[in-house]
């Protein structure tokens, strides 16, 4: 969903559903806070919403919260947490994270020892989904 296409009414609905614990709404509300779309921009609130949705296993939120951890957006930098989240999302088939984890394997970064064959496998999976 392109968050910039949402309305103020959509954001109110995201808030209601996020309070009910609906992961997709938590993630979308996090995107609104991250971009300041119909709410005051607040990286800490964005990260908190991403974390809530990621904890429920939503791959897009795992990717978003991993990005927060890598770049210190709304949270302290935590590369180990980012790798854990990227890995969870990649295992669910999220192409963006498959590509990130492939890079880690290719370079031997984080907890991943260098494994170019595994990197190529993950890049192919991502490419098969249209992510180059």
């Amino acid at each position: 969903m392109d968050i910039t296409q949402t309305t103020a009414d959509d954001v109110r609905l995201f808030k209601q559903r996020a309070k009910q614990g609906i992961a997709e709404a938590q993630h979308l509300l996090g995107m609104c806070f991250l971009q300041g779309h119909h709410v005051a921009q607040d990286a800490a609130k964005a990260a908190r919403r991403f974390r809530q949705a990621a904890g429920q296993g939503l791959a897009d939120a795992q990717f978003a919260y991993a990005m927060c951890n890598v770049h210190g957006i709304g949270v302290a930098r935590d590369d180990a947490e980012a790798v854990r989240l990227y890995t969870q999302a990649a295992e669910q088939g999220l192409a963006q994270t498959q590509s990130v984890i492939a890079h880690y394997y290719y370079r031997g970064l984080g907890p991943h020892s260098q494994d170019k064959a595994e990197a190529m496998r993950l890049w192919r999976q991502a490419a098969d989904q249209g992510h180059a």
Side-chain angles (χ1 to χ4, degrees):
M1 168 180 268
D2 180 0
I3 208 68
T4 63
Q5 300 299 313
T6 60
T7 66
D9 287 337
D10 293 331
V11 175
R12 279 191 286 280
L13 184 60
F14 297 160
K15 286 180 179 180
Q16 290 172 355
R17 299 270 167 88
K19 284 181 185 175
Q20 296 169 347
I22 297 171
E24 292 84 359
Q26 292 167 335
H27 173 249
L28 292 170
L29 187 56
M31 294 299 294
C32 291
F33 279 119
L34 186 65
Q35 296 179 18
H37 189 70
H38 295 294
V39 293
Q41 190 171 19
D42 189 325
K45 285 183 180 180
R48 186 170 41 254
R49 293 301 183 171
F50 294 148
R51 184 184 71 240
Q52 290 170 339
Q56 293 184 61
L58 185 66
D60 287 325
Q62 291 166 334
F63 177 75
Y65 192 49
M67 293 292 289
C68 289
N69 278 273
V70 165
H71 298 290
I73 299 169
V75 295
R77 280 192 60 162
D78 187 341
D79 290 337
E81 176 69 353
V83 170
R84 184 184 74 77
L85 291 159
Y86 281 142
T87 301
Q88 287 178 346
E91 288 171 352
Q92 292 185 63
L94 188 64
Q96 299 97 311
T97 55
Q98 289 171 330
S99 187
V100 169
I101 295 297
H103 176 77
Y104 285 8
Y105 273 113
Y106 189 81
R107 299 276 184 206
L109 302 173
H112 303 288
S113 51
Q114 191 172 37
D115 185 340
K116 292 183 178 181
E118 179 64 5
M120 292 306 296
R121 184 187 72 78
L122 288 164
W123 275 323
R124 274 194 289 285
Q125 283 182 345
D128 287 348
Q129 297 177 62
H131 187 80

